Amino acid sequence: MQKLTNKEEEIMHILWKLEKAFVKDVLMEIEDDKPHYNTLSTIIRNLEEKGYVSHNAYGNTHQYFPLVTKEEYRRGFMSNAIENYFNNSYKSMISFFAKEEKISAKELREILDMIEKKE
């Protein structure tokens, strides 16, 4: 799975939300830093070249839809992040969040319960 730029990832979140959309529909969903219509169209075509998106043609216009689910993308994204930033150690990742106070002791206990129950 090829890495996405921040803007491509933003567009994918919109396509996951809408499920199917024309470029104008995606443009309406962007709140900040709206790109020009042609720029957005190019970004979506790049997503298509990378294998994340496909389209149905209706005359000269295209309706785009995701080929990769949000869960598939999240799984790949997290695997890469853990490999690149935590030396493939989930323990290092969890301890990082604990040290940064992004996860509480209560939440850690809940995670341990899930692991023990194999949820």
Side-chain angles (χ1 to χ4, degrees):
M1 201 177 303
Q2 288 188 26
K3 187 174 180 176
L4 298 181
T5 66
N6 289 340
K7 195 52 112 174
E8 288 172 337
E9 194 171 304
E10 178 185 357
I11 302 311
M12 282 305 299
H13 281 282
I14 292 169
L15 287 171
W16 286 319
K17 175 184 167 190
L18 298 177
E19 297 179 2
K20 291 183 180 180
F22 296 97
V23 174
K24 65 179 178 62
D25 300 325
V26 175
L27 191 59
M28 288 173 47
E29 291 289 319
I30 299 172
E31 294 179 16
D32 298 322
D33 256 355
K34 281 189 189 274
H36 186 275
Y37 181 94
N38 291 339
T39 302
L40 178 58
S41 181
T42 299
I43 293 169
I44 294 173
R45 283 195 311 275
N46 288 342
L47 285 167
E48 192 168 22
E49 287 176 20
K50 290 181 176 183
Y52 284 88
V53 169
S54 189
H55 73 271
N56 292 316
Y58 299 98
N60 290 335
T61 189
H62 296 116
Q63 185 181 45
Y64 295 94
F65 56 91
L67 291 175
V68 175
T69 66
K70 192 174 187 177
E71 182 57 36
E72 289 169 328
Y73 182 74
R74 178 181 21 224
R75 194 174 301 119
F77 179 86
M78 290 306 297
S79 292
N80 285 336
I82 292 165
E83 181 179 330
N84 292 330
Y85 297 102
F86 301 102
N87 296 324
N88 244 1
S89 168
Y90 288 84
K91 179 182 173 185
S92 293
M93 181 192 69
I94 296 295
S95 65
F96 168 80
F97 288 115
K99 288 175 188 170
E100 293 290 315
E101 298 180 5
K102 303 290 184 194
I103 191 167
S104 69
K106 180 183 178 212
E107 290 169 319
L108 285 171
R109 281 189 287 278
E110 290 172 3
I111 291 169
L112 285 172
D113 286 344
M114 287 189 319
I115 292 169
E116 289 170 354
K117 293 176 185 174
K118 297 196 190 290
E119 290 182 10

